[in-house]
Amino acid sequence: MKYRNPIISGYNPDPSICRVGEDYYIVNSSFEFYPGVPVYHSRNLVNWELEGYCLTEESQLDLHGCRPSGGIYAPTIRYHQGTFFMTTTNTSGKGNFIVHTTDMKNGWSQPAWVDQGGIDPSLLFDDDGTVYFASTSMDSEGNTGIFLCQVNPYTGERLTESVVISRGCGGRYAEGPHLYKWFGKYYLMLAEGGTEYGHMETILRSDSPYGPFEACPHNPILTHRDDMREEIYCTGHADMIEDHNGNWWMVCLAIRPCQEKKDRVLLHNLGRETFLTPVVWTEDGWPVVGEKGLISPEMDGPLPGESPVPVNRDFADDFSKDRFSPHYNFLRNPSMENYVRDTAEGKLILKGTGTTINEMASPTWIGVRQKGFETVSTAVVSLLDAVQGMRAGLTAYYNDSYHYEIYLSRELDRWKVCLAKHVHDIFTVTASAELPAAENVMLRIVSDKTYYRFSYSLDGETFVELGSGLVVGLCTESTRNMTFTGTYLGMFAENGCAAFENFHVKVLDHE
Ligand code: 6LW
């Protein structure tokens, strides 16, 4: 059965997958965004619904002061004897922890912190009841390695010393470890080469979880570092699973470049997305991934469950219901009293504080992941205050130093619509127009692979383009520090209240 990649588009990196009967669950990293660790559910491995998050309270997810691309790194989800376990790292907090639940609808436990350092934690529930905890860390000489200990998954108590079990298969930064028990052996799968264009997945196996490990003769089992098709790059950080029909699958992160081949510039703004590939086994028990270690935008495989249906990546909110969609994210730990859903009027009231979207803090900002290159985002905006210097509008947002926004503002005694851009240390208004009033103005962001274009309309029909911003300004490769996220399309308010109506994001990319 044919299907399209990515299976979860937009910034959803470091996927980990588990199976419960005929139900499948994927979790992803979430960094400085709140809630933390999204959980997607599927029954055919292609159509995924965002069910919610593992970390929904500040006591589980303290992101105060978290730097861009800090916070929550790679998670692992496992299911054992009726209980889900998720382990991850709060790199801006106390490190590695485990949460658990028997029913996701009732939320997850408080963090059980594990006294083993590093990132990319993973769990293996062995047949004899032992629970192994692996992570990628550094030894006293600063050498990275995969560390292993035994833990109590409920309390996080480390039951044995942490020991190095592998340094990888020769690629730099051996990370993203997953230890499995398959066919009576312990398989250790790793991401190596770094999460950029040299990324790859390797696998080893042993009769003991502590090794010594034998490397797969055709490592790396997955990499796009030399793939000349130039459609998908950075494949790695994978997890594997046997479906309920006995077929095998891998989920991994990868990126789709936002530049056309002719431009030959390696850039991506949508973030690292989640991809799916079938896996088969060799006679001597080694996995063969995809098309001999390559994956494609369209693949074929023995999918479980119902045939895939077309994926709808649009988003719409008329604010008539009192609950926020799980697709909304906030920055760090939001003050929810600043986000009021006026269901009677069909409005979202954003109460802007003195914290702006240029700050590494929690401004009044709410966004959804940009899930395609070609999008149209609109909302009708009205300023409710006439405060000098207030701003409220729509933003294409990567992080606090990389964002473009079209917004209404009050300057001296005039109402204005403005376009501002923040790239690196340059924050400036690049265009503005005076308005007769700052109410019921429709703002619009139209994106393609090269530009974000910003327009406004006073009647909802005729739009005036205020200006544009290059997509390259919001790409992961363009940020001054290493970052791991992707663009959001969202609403924001600063220094006063604003009302938003009919927030829509339409994805036009042809699957
Ligand atoms: C992830 C690790 C990595 O934890 O990036 O570059 C981190 N390697 O595997 C964030 O995605």
Side-chain angles (χ1 to χ4, degrees):
M1 222 180 296
K2 289 191 187 313
Y3 67 91
R4 298 279 310 171
N5 269 316
I7 53 169
I8 306 178
S9 52
Y11 133 66
N12 285 285
D14 307 319
S16 172
I17 187 167
C18 77
R19 176 171 71 86
V20 183
E22 301 187 9
D23 291 287
Y24 299 84
Y25 299 89
I26 283 180
V27 291
N28 299 100
S29 310
S30 51
F31 303 98
E32 73 262 36
F33 296 94
Y34 191 94
V37 186
V39 184
Y40 293 89
H41 168 251
S42 175
R43 288 177 61 85
N44 65 8
L45 294 179
V46 174
N47 295 111
W48 291 89
E49 285 301 319
L50 176 56
E51 296 283 297
Y53 296 81
C54 296
L55 310 175
T56 54
E57 300 165 22
E58 191 162 323
S59 57
Q60 298 168 311
L61 181 55
D62 180 353
L63 293 174
H64 290 289
C66 161
R67 61 178 167 73
S69 286
I72 299 298
Y73 274 36
T76 296
I77 188 167
R78 295 292 182 254
Y79 184 79
H80 181 68
Q81 292 179 352
T83 301
F84 290 96
F85 296 87
M86 189 283 290
T87 183
T88 188
T89 316
N90 186 337
T91 60
S92 306
K94 293 193 283 187
N96 290 316
F97 63 94
I98 305 168
V99 292
H100 66 271
T101 185
T102 55
D103 182 352
M104 293 185 193
K105 291 185 179 55
N106 296 334
W108 293 70
S109 71
Q110 291 306 304
W113 299 96
V114 180
D115 177 21
Q116 177 167 302
I119 57 172
D120 300 353
S122 187
L123 291 167
L124 168 64
F125 292 84
D126 206 345
D127 309 333
D128 63 1
T130 307
V131 183
Y132 294 98
F133 179 89
S135 63
T136 184
S137 189
M138 273 185 193
D139 59 23
S140 49
E141 281 87 53
N143 305 306
T144 54
I146 307 303
F147 285 71
L148 189 73
C149 66
Q150 294 173 28
V151 293
N152 176 328
Y154 292 95
T155 65
E157 183 191 359
R158 182 164 53 79
L159 305 175
T160 62
E161 282 309 303
S162 298
V163 294
V164 176
I165 61 168
S166 173
R167 303 271 186 198
C169 302
R172 63 182 186 158
Y173 310 137
E175 55 197 358
H178 289 307
L179 192 62
Y180 306 99
K181 184 79 171 288
W182 293 327
F183 322 123
K185 285 189 176 293
Y186 293 90
Y187 283 79
L188 176 64
M189 188 165 76
L190 304 174
E192 298 189 45
T195 194
E196 303 81 13
Y197 294 86
H199 214 189
M200 57 182 148
E201 203 66 10
T202 60
I203 197 163
L204 310 96
R205 74 182 175 205
S206 171
D207 293 323
S208 159
Y210 296 99
F213 287 92
E214 156 201 22
C216 173
H218 60 264
N219 272 337
I221 57 174
L222 167 72
T223 186
H224 275 226
R225 63 189 180 191
D226 304 320
D227 180 20
M228 292 302 289
R229 295 171 300 170
E230 302 183 330
E231 295 169 307
I232 296 171
Y233 286 103
C234 307
T235 48
H237 204 106
D239 201 0
M240 267 175 64
I241 195 161
E242 180 181 13
D243 74 18
H244 59 272
N245 296 324
N247 297 305
W248 291 78
W249 300 88
M250 175 185 276
V251 292
C252 67
L253 74 76
I255 70 111
R256 295 181 287 160
C258 60
Q259 299 288 313
E260 301 302 343
K261 277 189 188 174
K262 63 179 173 44
D263 300 328
R264 278 207 55 73
V265 179
L266 297 177
L267 292 170
H268 72 286
N269 66 314
L270 298 184
R272 297 166 301 160
E273 303 172 289
T274 293
F275 288 67
L276 174 77
T277 174
V279 175
V280 295
W281 291 88
T282 63
E283 293 282 307
D284 52 357
W286 293 110
V288 177
V289 174
E291 298 128 11
K292 296 197 176 85
L294 294 175
I295 64 176
S296 300
E298 180 172 278
M299 297 192 81
D300 199 347
L303 292 169
E306 302 292 315
S307 302
V309 296
V311 175
N312 177 9
R313 292 174 292 164
D314 296 349
F315 180 83
D317 190 353
D318 62 6
F319 308 113
S320 61
K321 297 187 181 61
D322 59 9
R323 291 176 63 84
F324 284 101
S325 158
H327 289 279
Y328 280 126
N329 281 180
F330 305 85
L331 280 163
R332 300 174 184 85
N333 298 98
S335 304
M336 288 312 292
E337 66 272 14
N338 294 332
Y339 303 82
V340 178
R341 296 180 69 92
D342 180 345
T343 54
E345 297 290 325
K347 291 180 180 176
L348 172 66
I349 309 300
L350 292 187
K351 298 180 180 178
T353 66
T355 304
T356 75
I357 61 174
N358 299 308
E359 295 176 61
M360 192 174 71
S362 189
T364 304
W365 174 98
I366 179 170
V368 296
R369 288 166 174 77
Q370 182 177 341
K371 287 180 163 290
F373 295 109
E374 296 175 28
T375 65
V376 179
S377 304
T378 53
V380 175
V381 187
S382 304
L383 297 191
L384 302 179
D385 291 319
V387 175
Q388 178 69 13
M390 82 167 285
R391 301 195 318 154
L394 294 184
T395 176
Y397 182 96
Y398 184 87
N399 70 27
D400 48 70
S401 296
Y402 300 90
H403 51 83
Y404 304 144
E405 55 266 5
I406 182 168
Y407 58 93
L408 304 183
S409 71
R410 172 84 169 167
E411 286 174 31
L412 301 176
D413 58 351
R414 289 176 295 173
W415 303 106
K416 292 182 116 177
V417 57
C418 306
L419 169 59
K421 301 181 192 175
H422 191 155
V423 178
H424 296 312
D425 57 351
I426 304 162
F427 174 56
T428 184
V429 177
T430 59
S432 67
E434 198 166 330
L435 296 176
E439 55 186 321
N440 299 325
V441 181
M442 181 174 276
L443 303 181
R444 186 177 72 182
I445 303 175
V446 178
S447 72
D448 59 30
K449 286 192 169 185
T450 308
Y451 286 102
Y452 289 95
R453 299 181 194 281
F454 302 84
S455 309
Y456 68 96
S457 170
L458 301 181
D459 61 9
E461 303 282 333
T462 314
F463 282 87
V464 176
E465 183 164 312
L466 206 49
S468 62
L470 281 166
V471 167
V472 67
L474 307 189
C475 285
T476 298
E477 293 83 357
S478 312
T479 58
R480 65 177 183 276
N481 299 320
M482 183 176 196
T483 55
F484 300 110
T485 56
T487 43
Y488 280 79
L489 296 160
M491 299 167 278
F492 76 101
E494 300 165 350
N495 294 309
C497 295
F500 291 77
E501 296 171 78
N502 293 317
F503 176 53
H504 289 188
V505 178
K506 191 150 188 56
V507 179
L508 306 176
D509 292 24
H510 312 298
E511 274 298 301

